[in-house]
């Protein structure tokens, strides 16, 4: 059954995991699919089986031998126009393993991931309340592993089953036997692309709230107008479809293990606070070094406040979702290019609403905006598209910092609040380390110049 599913369903997932377990950090094996926008949907065929209360549909899963420390998993999607009850010949099976959307148009999912070293086989029986057709999509089982499991916290792994079947990255397939003859139903299951793993995974339309592989973007009652979330590109029909609630760009697995993990890589609240502090120090450093802050310099140049200028330029609307921003104060200014690469808040900033700004957080533009939006953003901000796709360090600021290195170590970093030690490190040291990283990314040849070294020399002197 598994091998008969369309190639598309497996293509990118295959690329996103490695069959071998190797010592790795959380980020290794991470592949970003820049061509995937998360805004496309298509339809894939399902298999249809006749079943009745007297002759229910049996699905047998025969798992391969599972490597030590790896997971076993199974999963499938099903749909019927009547109530279907699910049982197993194994005691561990429960109703927690599947959704129960009683809607003839909605697909349900069923799946589990568990840690077991023994090979296993079991049967799931689907009994409809009367004789009818049951549609089955993507019934699979096997050994499950993903590099991201390696670095995940224990309590996340303990609940990994709640991400089945979208987290079922099979490294070795088992056998699935369905005890009835099937006919294919083309264009049956609506699948949406994940902008991270680029897999197409099922969603329910029109019952968007019957979520499967993607969480809703908006759960408010009003229609979701968030661009890139509320509008999806129907690839089969060649039209854009407007959704009511919209879906997250990332599948539930990627949201949990890639996006949230990258934004918050096992960090404590304290560390988060330190991060935002370091951001403030960067802002302060650039502003002080310029003699006047870029924002002030801009005000001098045009006589207009930066905020009102950006607000007007973006049509008093959030660039991402288009929500009205009634005042400039209501707007959140986004740096567009990362502050960590020394880009201060200036006339290239982006106008966002509070909700979009907090969703974006430290994400790179290419990880937050669609291709179309990036082209539009490039026009608004004047930042060339290639730079939005791959931001480079702000060379002018970097050069100025090197030229004015004495000011940096003697004056700026020499302030008491930057020299306070915490866990054996000072903010001054951490700022130097970050600057050395920027230096490295810039790929400019500054010989063996190092901010950390300058700071240490200053300390020893
Ligand atoms: Zn994904
Ligand atoms: Zn917004």
């Amino acid at each position: 059954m598994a091998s008969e599913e369309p190639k598309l369903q497996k293509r990118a997932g295959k690329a996103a995991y490695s069959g071998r377990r190797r010592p790795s950090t959380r980020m290794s094996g991470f592949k970003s699919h820049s061509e995937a926008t998360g805004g496309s949907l298509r339809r894939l065929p399902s298999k249809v089986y006749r079943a009745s209360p007297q002759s229910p549909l049996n699905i047998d899963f025969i798992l391969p031998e599972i490597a030590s420390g790896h997971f076993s998993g199974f999963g499938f999607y099903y749909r019927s126009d009547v109530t279907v009850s699910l049982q197993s010949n194994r005691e561990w099976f429960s109703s927690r393993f599947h959704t129960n959307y009683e809607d003839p148009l909605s697909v349900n999912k069923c799946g589990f991931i568990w840690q077991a070293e023994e090979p296993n086989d079991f049967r799931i029986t689907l009994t409809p309340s009367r004789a009818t057709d049951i549609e089955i999509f993507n019934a699979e089982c096997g050994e499950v592993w993903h590099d991201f499991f390696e670095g995940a916290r224990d309590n996340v792994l303990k609940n990994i089953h709640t991400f089945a079947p979208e987290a079922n990255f099979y490294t070795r397939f088992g056998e699935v036997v369905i005890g009835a003859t099937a006919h294919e139903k083309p264009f049956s299951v609506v699948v949406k692309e994940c902008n991270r793993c680029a897999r197409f995974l099922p969603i329910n339309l029109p019952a968007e709230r019957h979520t499967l592989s993607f969480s809703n973007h908006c759960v408010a009652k009003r229609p979701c107008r968030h661009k890139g979330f509320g509008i999806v590109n129907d690839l089969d029909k060649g039209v854009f479809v407007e959704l009511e609630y919209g879906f997250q760009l990332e599948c539930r697995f990627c949201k949990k293990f890639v996006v949230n993990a990258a934004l918050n890589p096992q960090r404590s609240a304290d560390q988060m606070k330190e991060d935002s502090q370091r951001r403030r120090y960067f802002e302060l450093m650039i502003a002080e070094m310029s003699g006047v802050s870029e924002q002030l310099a801009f005000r001098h140049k045009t006589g207009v406040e930066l905020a009102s200028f950006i607000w007007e330029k973006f049509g008093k609307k959030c660039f991402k979702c288009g929500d009205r921003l009634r005042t400039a104060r209501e707007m959140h200014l986004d740096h567009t290019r990362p502050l960590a690469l020394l880009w201060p808040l200036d006339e290239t900033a982006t106008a966002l609403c509070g909700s979009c700004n907090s969703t974006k957080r430290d994400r790179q533009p290419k990880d937050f905006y669609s291709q179309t939006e990036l082209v539009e953003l490039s026009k608004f901000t004047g930042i060339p598209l290639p730079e939005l796709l791959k931001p480079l360090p702000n060379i002018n600021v970097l050069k100025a910092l090197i030229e004015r290195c004495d000011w940096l170590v003697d004056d700026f970093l020499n302030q008491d609040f930057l020299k306070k030690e915490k866990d054996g490190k000072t903010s001054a040291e951490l700022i130097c380390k970050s600057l050395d990283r920027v230096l490295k990314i810039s790929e400019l040849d500054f010989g063996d110049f190092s901010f950390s070294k300058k700071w240490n020399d200053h300390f020893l002197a």
Side-chain angles (χ1 to χ4, degrees), residues 22-92:
R22 49 175 193 255
S24 62
T25 64
R26 177 182 289 272
M27 290 314 286
S28 92
F30 168 75
K31 285 195 179 61
S32 151
H33 292 256
S34 51
E35 76 280 11
T37 62
S40 305
L41 57 84
R42 40 186 325 141
R43 284 159 202 78
L44 295 176
S46 65
K47 293 275 164 67
V48 181
Y49 301 86
R50 197 71 194 165
S52 71
Q54 296 74 36
S55 98
L57 186 65
N58 291 319
I59 309 181
D60 286 307
F61 295 91
I62 302 132
L63 273 81
E65 204 177 306
I66 308 296
S68 161
H70 285 210
F71 293 82
S72 308
F74 81 93
F76 63 94
Y77 298 86
Y78 68 99
R79 173 165 52 192
S80 172
D81 59 347
V82 301
T83 306
V84 178
S85 76
L86 272 67
Q87 274 104 32
S88 172
N89 59 348
R90 297 285 182 219
E91 272 171 24
W92 46 255

Side-chain angles (χ1 to χ4, degrees), residues 194 196-197 199 251 254:
C194 165
R196 287 286 170 156
C197 64
R199 290 180 300 169
C251 71
C254 289

Side-chain angles (χ1 to χ4, degrees), residues 226 317-323 325 351-357 368:
H226 293 74
K317 283 188 297 194
C318 167
F319 173 71
K320 182 69 187 173
C321 70
D323 264 4
L325 300 163
L352 292 178
C353 70
S355 134
C356 289
N357 191 47
F368 184 62

